Amino acid sequence: MTVFFSLLKHVLLGPLLRVVFRPKVTGTVPDGAAILASNHLSFCDSLFLPLMAPRKVVFIGKEEYFVGTGLKGRLIAAFFRGVGTIPVDRRGGSEAADALDTALRVLKEDRLFGIYPEGTRSPDGRLYRGKTGVARLALASGAPVVPCALIGTDQVQPMGHKMPKKIMRVEVRFGEPLRFPEDADPRAVTDEVIAAIQKLSGQEYVDVYAASVKKAAAAKNG
């Protein structure tokens, strides 16, 4: 655990989140390598999940989080680097492949790797079809997948809001670890992970990709 992350978790942000939002954490995370697969409702998911998890969680984050300018941009970049987030160019190519290779290395080091299987934040609070990256990581590493559900973060900080809008209790729910044989079908594995997340979160499921819904909405409004 880095000094900066330890300060965030135990001195700066962690205690503040506990006092203000009174997060309720249920379930456990196993020792050793594991993949935390969570729903994704809000920007603040990236605060609550790593700071409330019992161990440090390494994530892949949007490249935009690391290239901002000005004081705000530098602070955002410092935060994500401090909590161990790996930048990835989501346009594809070698940088994305390098990020996945890094994720495998994290798991080989018996650490926790966090992923949002939907690939982007839910546009409306529903749970969307998962991308198979979580399955490829699980099958390549042999690490268990721990389904995780965040409850209430979309009300605390709705999409489009740069600051919290509402003070309310947030829940972080960890489910039972899922293990898969190395020859399992990635699509079937992903669907099982999403189903486990849905069981924890109680969200309505939509069998399309969230990114497609966002793209269609942008085209309609543009």
Side-chain angles (χ1 to χ4, degrees):
M1 184 179 294
T2 64
V3 172
F4 183 60
F5 177 74
S6 184
L7 282 172
L8 285 174
K9 186 177 180 71
H10 301 295
V11 179
L12 302 175
L13 281 179
L16 180 63
L17 291 180
R18 289 186 175 89
V19 170
V20 175
F21 297 101
R22 300 175 294 111
K24 179 181 179 181
V25 181
T26 57
T28 60
V29 174
D31 294 331
I35 302 164
L36 294 187
S38 177
N39 61 340
H40 197 9
L41 297 170
S42 169
F43 176 83
C44 67
D45 295 341
S46 297
L47 295 177
F48 283 101
L49 187 53
L51 293 175
M52 296 300 112
R55 296 161 53 201
K56 184 176 180 181
V57 187
V58 178
F59 279 91
I60 285 177
K62 294 191 296 184
E63 187 182 36
E64 299 94 284
Y65 292 157
F66 299 86
V67 295
T69 57
L71 178 61
K72 180 181 177 181
R74 291 195 295 271
L75 288 174
I76 290 173
F79 169 79
F80 281 105
R81 291 188 187 281
V83 298
T85 303
I86 305 165
V88 58
D89 182 350
R90 296 195 301 180
R91 293 171 298 181
S94 62
E95 288 190 47
D98 289 346
L100 290 175
D101 288 342
T102 302
L104 287 172
R105 186 170 69 249
V106 168
L107 294 169
K108 288 179 181 178
E109 294 171 352
D110 287 336
R111 300 164 69 191
L112 287 178
F113 185 82
I115 189 170
Y116 300 117
E118 293 167 278
T120 187
R121 282 173 283 174
S122 170
D124 54 17
R126 296 185 293 178
L127 185 67
Y128 284 83
R129 194 171 199 240
K131 296 188 175 183
T132 58
V134 63
R136 289 186 282 117
L137 277 177
L139 300 180
S141 66
V145 178
V146 180
C148 179
L150 292 157
I151 312 295
T153 54
D154 55 334
Q155 297 180 60
V156 169
Q157 188 180 9
M159 188 172 292
H161 288 258
K162 295 182 179 180
M163 298 296 292
K165 180 183 179 182
K166 183 177 181 180
I167 302 298
M168 59 173 286
R169 192 172 200 185
V170 168
E171 290 190 52
V172 183
R173 301 173 180 172
F174 298 109
E176 292 295 322
L178 304 173
R179 293 186 178 273
F180 304 96
E182 62 180 14
D183 60 348
D185 175 65
R187 181 73 260 163
V189 168
T190 303
D191 290 346
E192 185 174 340
V193 171
I194 290 291
I197 294 172
Q198 184 191 23
K199 185 176 180 180
L200 290 169
S201 70
Q203 292 168 274
E204 177 186 350
Y205 175 69
V206 185
D207 194 22
V208 296
Y209 293 116
S212 299
V213 173
K214 289 182 176 181
K215 184 177 180 180
K220 182 178 179 179
N221 296 330

